[in-house]
Amino acid sequence: MEQSCLCVDVGGSSIKYARIGRSRELADYGKVPTPYEGTGPYLDCLEAIYKKFQGQVSGISLSVPGIIDSEKGICITAGNLRFADGLLLVSELEKRCRVPVAIMNDAKCAALAESSYGALADCRDGVVLVLGTGIGGALIKDGRVHMGHHFAAGEFSFICLTDYVDQPDSHWSGRNGMPRLLETAARLRDMPADQVTGELVFEWIKEGDRQMEKLLDEFNRSIARMIMNLQFIYDPERFALGGGISRQPLLIEGIRKNLDYLYKLYPYSVPRAEVTVCKYYNEANLLGAYSNFASRRKEGV
């Protein structure tokens, strides 16, 4: 039997896992609640997942939140898992499980999956934007995920849009994160915000709600403007959009329409941004974790 890798995706509410080999099929998929009691229970949870596959896998590859030093295996920051800030996660897990462990930021894993097998597989340079609570993603440079000097390249959520850097709306995550879209939709419909979902917003648009149409158009234009700016800065071959909302055809249609509008107004002749949707959704982080592990093994890291 082919020796595979245990791939683990640590999320805010659950830890997903699967055994993945060269066929890239997810075997023995499962998930458990993410522990928040501290580093001990966190490591115990990861070790317990590994023990289910002990002897069946050649190593572990982690997709985790935060700014991650993939070379030294350190969680410089850990997103919502504040207790894991500074955790030497790779060495701690290798001590417990006695197999090689690889690690990468979750959004970078998603981008690696698209670069390795998905929407950017034919591109040397590309950008993945994951639209969710914030704006995740990564830069692909020469077919590889660009980490940056501080391992923080592609932290799009933090891009500042105004001089008022202490205000949430001044950051790209505040402008184009899903909470802003849903809260605005709730006010327009005079509903509690916790009762509005992205699916509902698109249903209302399909039913002809003009206010929702205008809201989505403003949302799309803001994304299109940032894509245009990133094209000027980085000049990638293609942008791939991910996140649950990217499954809605109206989103990509609206962004492309707004890009056409902006380029027509622009006073200079410039390269145009090409935009598509990601190939992978829920599986992207796990597949990216597998690609990270496979490439590190190939390079002898």
Side-chain angles (χ1 to χ4, degrees):
M1 183 178 70
E2 176 198 347
Q3 192 85 136
S4 52
C5 171
L6 171 60
C7 297
V8 180
D9 177 29
V10 178
S13 59
S14 64
I15 298 177
K16 304 172 185 176
Y17 59 86
R19 186 167 50 83
I20 305 178
R22 290 180 184 173
S23 65
R24 302 199 300 273
E25 293 181 359
L26 277 62
D28 304 313
Y29 174 87
K31 64 180 179 178
V32 296
T34 302
Y36 277 84
E37 295 81 14
T39 56
Y42 182 43
L43 290 167
D44 289 343
C45 179
L46 296 174
E47 183 182 3
I49 293 171
Y50 167 71
K51 285 183 175 177
K52 296 180 182 180
F53 300 92
Q54 192 166 6
Q56 303 176 55
V57 296
S58 58
I60 304 168
S61 191
L62 302 169
S63 161
V64 296
I67 297 174
I68 307 300
D69 183 337
S70 295
E71 300 304 316
K72 296 180 180 178
I74 302 173
C75 299
I76 299 171
T77 65
N80 289 335
L81 309 181
R82 297 290 178 84
F83 61 83
D85 286 357
L87 178 63
L88 303 174
L89 184 51
V90 166
S91 63
E92 291 294 333
L93 204 54
E94 286 183 339
K95 287 176 190 175
R96 289 171 173 247
C97 301
R98 301 194 179 281
V99 293
V101 178
I103 190 172
M104 183 179 275
N105 164 269
D106 48 8
K108 288 181 171 63
C109 275
L112 184 56
E114 294 301 325
S115 176
S116 300
Y117 321 117
L120 301 179
D122 60 338
C123 296
R124 288 185 60 80
D125 298 337
V127 177
V128 174
L129 297 174
V130 182
L131 307 176
T133 302
I135 313 293
L139 306 174
I140 304 299
K141 180 64 178 173
D142 294 327
R144 301 169 67 95
V145 174
H146 179 61
M147 295 296 182
H149 181 71
H150 302 96
F151 301 94
E155 293 289 341
F156 300 117
S157 278
F158 302 144
I159 290 177
C160 192
L161 305 176
T162 77
D163 291 339
Y164 303 100
V165 296
D166 58 334
Q167 300 300 312
D169 193 46
S170 290
H171 310 135
W172 195 11
S173 59
R175 192 73 59 88
N176 281 121
M178 285 302 295
R180 168 71 176 270
L181 179 69
L182 300 182
E183 288 164 9
T184 307
R187 288 198 300 272
L188 291 172
R189 298 284 293 204
D190 195 23
M191 292 173 61
D194 60 2
Q195 293 182 15
V196 178
T197 64
E199 290 80 3
L200 262 180
V201 170
F202 284 94
E203 282 181 24
W204 292 330
I205 291 171
K206 290 171 185 175
E207 292 169 0
D209 187 318
R210 300 302 297 274
Q211 286 187 313
M212 292 299 116
E213 288 179 11
K214 183 178 179 182
L215 173 62
L216 181 63
D217 190 56
E218 291 172 351
F219 182 81
N220 288 338
R221 184 162 300 175
S222 181
I223 295 172
R225 188 183 307 114
M226 287 303 299
I227 287 174
M228 193 175 182
N229 286 334
L230 289 170
Q231 182 72 40
F232 296 149
I233 295 167
Y234 188 58
D235 193 26
E237 295 169 59
R238 187 179 304 139
F239 290 80
L241 303 185
I245 193 174
S246 68
R247 292 177 182 264
Q248 298 285 348
L250 284 175
L251 179 85
I252 190 72
E253 291 169 11
I255 290 172
R256 286 172 175 163
K257 182 190 75 173
N258 275 287
L259 278 169
D260 286 342
Y261 172 79
L262 293 172
Y263 279 118
K264 285 177 182 176
L265 291 180
Y266 208 67
Y268 307 109
S269 177
V270 294
R272 292 173 61 98
E274 179 185 341
V275 182
T276 189
V277 293
C278 288
K279 179 177 179 179
Y280 302 107
Y281 294 94
N282 295 334
E283 305 89 0
N285 292 3
L286 290 171
L287 285 170
Y290 171 73
S291 180
N292 181 40
F293 185 84
S295 65
R296 293 177 73 82
R297 287 295 293 271
K298 184 178 179 181
E299 293 168 6
V301 178

